[in-house]
Amino acid sequence: MKETYEFEKWIKQIEEKVQGLYREEKLEVIAEEIYSRYGVRVWFSEILGKRWSHIAGWGGYDPTPTHQILLSPRYGMTIEGERIPEAEKEALLSFIKKELPN
């Protein structure tokens, strides 16, 4: 139960940090926070047809192994490894989707 509270508190802090920032700035902050908490690098992309065009990310550009996650028809996220607990990952993805423009 304490972990759930800590996670919710952490999400709230990120929400406050990104308030009023532009899309790329928001995503950079989110990527940095994910790396700080989990040691996992993430990159965000705008999807242009079959191409995922990098728009933000943190921690270098040589991730292995990676997983691509579709956030919306227009945006995707590439994530390194599987170190984020599943329950937190779902809540985190929901938060990120809410922060992206339509």
Side-chain angles (χ1 to χ4, degrees), residues 15-51:
E15 195 171 35
E16 291 170 4
K17 282 183 180 182
V18 301
Q19 189 173 12
L21 297 179
Y22 291 107
R23 176 192 67 185
E24 287 85 359
E25 294 171 312
K26 281 183 181 188
L27 296 175
E28 287 290 341
V29 169
I30 292 169
E32 183 177 355
E33 290 291 331
I34 291 171
Y35 185 79
S36 294
R37 182 173 176 98
Y38 301 106
V40 172
R41 297 180 295 177
V42 298
W43 297 263
F44 295 97
S45 301
E46 185 169 9
I47 301 170
L48 306 166
K50 292 183 179 181
R51 181 172 175 239

Side-chain angles (χ1 to χ4, degrees), residues 1-95:
M1 196 64 139
K2 182 180 179 197
E3 288 132 9
T4 302
Y5 171 76
E6 289 298 321
F7 176 77
E8 290 170 358
K9 184 177 168 185
W10 177 69
I11 290 288
K12 198 63 151 165
Q13 289 171 343
I14 296 172
E15 195 171 35
E16 291 170 4
K17 282 183 180 182
V18 301
Q19 189 173 12
L21 297 179
Y22 291 107
R23 176 192 67 185
E24 287 85 359
E25 294 171 312
K26 281 183 181 188
L27 296 175
E28 287 290 341
V29 169
I30 292 169
E32 183 177 355
E33 290 291 331
I34 291 171
Y35 185 79
S36 294
R37 182 173 176 98
Y38 301 106
V40 172
R41 297 180 295 177
V42 298
W43 297 263
F44 295 97
S45 301
E46 185 169 9
I47 301 170
L48 306 166
K50 292 183 179 181
R51 181 172 175 239
W52 284 43
S53 179
H54 177 270
I55 55 174
W58 202 82
Y61 295 95
D62 58 348
T64 51
T66 61
H67 308 282
Q68 288 184 321
I69 299 169
L70 189 64
L71 299 172
S72 74
R74 187 173 171 195
Y75 296 103
M77 180 172 98
T78 303
I79 187 167
E80 169 188 63
E82 302 261 350
R83 292 177 270 182
I84 301 174
E86 197 59 37
E88 291 182 11
K89 183 177 177 181
E90 292 303 318
L92 184 58
L93 290 175
S94 178
F95 166 73

